[in-house]
Amino acid sequence: MKEQLEKLREEALLLISGAEDFAALEGARVRFLGKKGELTAILKQMGSLSPEERPVIGQLANAIREALDEAIASRRQYLEDKALSERLVKEELDVTIPGTPVKMGHRHPMSIVLQEATDIFISMGFSVAEGPEVELSEYDFDRLNIPVGHTVREWQDTFYVTEDEAVHLRCQTSPVQVRVMEKTKPPIRIISPGRVYRKDEVDATHSPMFHQIEGLVVDKGVTMGDLKGTLNALVRRLYGPETKTRFRPHHFPFTEPSCEVDVQCFICGGAGCRVCKGEGWIELLGAGMVHPKVLQMSGIDPDVYSGFAFGIGLERMTMLRFDIDDMRLLFENDMRFLSQFQGV
Ligand code: DAH
């Protein structure tokens, strides 16, 4: 029996120390030390031993059990260490590899130009006002001296929100003038950028939604000279100090006198070309001296105060700034177009 035990020890130790993974190790443990294991099986024959032999064999059996337990523990430790170091090698992090850059977005060309224009106006003492896009007809029309019957109040021009025509999507940023005037005592010097809506078909120069920058200055002694000086300063800072402007008489219900301001064509320099349709000039904005009736309707005394106002098309301004010949490019979100403004 002693030999049997020693043979078992030898065989078991060999198997344990050679176990290549946890399953093989567990297999060896069950095979030798399990309830139905080989050591147990040998010990079950102890009854047939003489009383002298029994303690000797018992001791040997215990020693073997301990030796196997120890061998299994140390092999398990070895396998665990090995697994860990393999994992560490596999998951090694090379901090010297350059990182994958995060793809940054960038500003839309209209945001770029709006920011430029806003900076210019702020440098001239203007602040930025806001108004709602869903507007009362009273603000967008009546109090801008656009009475019932005027063409822009027609259903085919205007997106009405209510059947009684009292609420609509504003067709200009001019109602912000009224909102500012009724709340603020002069001096007033604001711009108000925002979206406006008209029932226009989409083409190279039209969209049912576009953007304007409204401007309003009200103070004592404001003249047409101030209007020209301000708008010339804007145009020259946006498009270069040599840029020529033309103030052309026009009509707006809320200004008197009114004008439109053209910029000399940046393509042909005034000779006439496809972009300016042979005119040599490109229209940029509408402006004028605030109509006394408009001042009065908002509680400002036209005998004391005067003012000028303007409305610039932001799409037009952006197209001029970057030589863009189709307005649809500004709204179609084509990355081949937009990505050209990265870093501008
Ligand atoms: N609201 C006008 C438009 O949409 C533009 C405009 C013209 C605004 C003259 C003004 C102005 O403030 O004085 O066509």
Side-chain angles (χ1 to χ4, degrees):
M1 193 173 237
K2 200 173 157 211
E3 279 145 32
Q4 230 182 328
L5 280 171
E6 253 145 30
K7 205 177 132 228
L8 178 144
R9 168 161 63 188
E10 212 170 291
E11 204 183 329
L13 286 177
L14 207 69
L15 212 67
I16 291 166
S17 64
E20 282 303 334
D21 54 33
F22 292 106
L25 187 62
E26 179 62 8
R29 189 191 68 78
V30 171
R31 174 169 160 199
F32 297 106
L33 299 176
K35 260 193 200 138
K36 291 177 187 158
E38 288 181 22
L39 186 63
T40 319
I42 294 173
L43 291 179
K44 270 184 189 154
Q45 300 161 24
M46 290 252 291
S48 64
L49 293 175
S50 67
E52 296 83 45
E53 277 178 316
R54 226 174 277 165
V56 180
I57 294 295
Q59 238 172 13
L60 179 62
N62 275 337
I64 289 175
R65 179 183 295 280
E66 268 169 39
L68 296 191
D69 276 340
E70 224 169 82
I72 289 172
S74 95
R75 187 66 186 172
R76 177 167 295 130
Q77 188 62 52
Y78 165 82
L79 289 175
E80 277 169 5
D81 290 351
K82 193 171 132 210
L84 179 66
S85 55
E86 277 172 7
R87 220 177 75 206
L88 287 179
V89 168
K90 216 163 59 193
E91 292 178 0
E92 188 179 16
L93 186 69
D94 184 350
V95 292
T96 64
I97 293 175
T100 326
V102 177
K103 231 180 162 191
M104 288 275 280
H106 59 86
R107 289 182 301 165
H108 188 278
M110 289 216 288
S111 300
I112 295 170
V113 173
L114 175 58
Q115 189 61 56
E116 288 175 353
T118 304
D119 287 347
I120 294 168
F121 280 116
I122 285 176
S123 78
M124 293 194 278
F126 285 72
S127 53
V128 178
E130 278 184 72
E133 288 173 30
V134 180
E135 183 56 284
L136 299 176
S137 304
E138 182 193 341
Y139 285 83
D140 203 3
F141 297 146
D142 302 82
R143 289 174 66 178
L144 286 171
N145 200 27
I146 300 172
V148 174
H150 192 285
T151 46
V152 305
R153 300 188 68 136
E154 297 296 314
W155 278 92
Q156 64 267 24
D157 294 325
T158 306
F159 291 106
Y160 284 104
V161 174
T162 56
E163 282 293 326
D164 65 3
E165 304 181 15
V167 182
H168 66 265
L169 299 183
R170 67 181 179 188
C171 61
Q172 50 189 356
T173 43
S174 303
V176 185
Q177 290 188 34
V178 179
R179 291 187 173 274
V180 170
M181 281 191 288
E182 71 177 6
K183 278 209 214 85
T184 324
K185 274 203 158 83
I188 293 169
R189 223 181 281 167
I190 58 105
I191 57 161
S192 185
R195 286 191 194 101
V196 300
Y197 302 86
R198 290 184 198 173
K199 280 197 171 176
D200 280 332
E201 297 284 339
V202 174
D203 67 23
T205 52
H206 291 87
S207 158
M209 187 282 297
F210 58 102
H211 299 74
Q212 292 184 328
I213 305 176
E214 192 74 15
L216 174 69
V217 172
V218 181
D219 203 349
K220 288 177 179 158
V222 174
T223 68
M224 193 90 183
D226 298 314
L227 181 159
K228 288 185 74 172
T230 304
L231 294 176
N232 276 334
L234 169 76
V235 165
R236 288 183 190 141
R237 282 177 63 182
L238 265 182
Y239 301 121
E242 306 302 321
T243 314
K244 288 204 167 55
T245 52
R246 179 173 79 171
F247 290 72
R248 201 164 23 79
H250 199 74
H251 168 77
F252 295 104
F254 35 88
T255 44
E256 182 58 38
S258 306
C259 62
E260 279 189 331
V261 179
D262 302 333
V263 180
Q264 197 162 61
C265 180
F266 56 94
I267 298 282
C268 63
C273 68
R274 189 183 56 86
V275 171
C276 60
K277 298 190 181 85
E279 295 276 320
W281 298 90
I282 296 171
E283 180 201 321
L284 182 63
L285 59 93
M289 301 305 291
V290 182
H291 199 296
K293 274 165 85 177
V294 170
L295 290 174
Q296 207 152 34
M297 280 188 276
S298 288
I300 292 174
D301 185 349
D303 290 332
V304 180
Y305 294 102
S306 58
F308 69 83
F310 54 87
I312 311 171
L314 182 57
E315 282 76 7
R316 183 64 66 86
M317 202 172 176
T318 305
M319 290 164 78
L320 274 173
R321 172 78 171 71
F322 294 122
D323 300 0
I324 299 166
D325 62 3
D326 192 326
M327 190 161 93
R328 286 169 288 201
L329 288 166
L330 295 173
F331 298 128
E332 280 169 352
N333 293 331
D334 186 333
M335 287 309 290
R336 289 170 302 180
F337 168 72
L338 291 177
S339 58
Q340 297 175 69
F341 297 90
Q342 180 114 37
V344 176

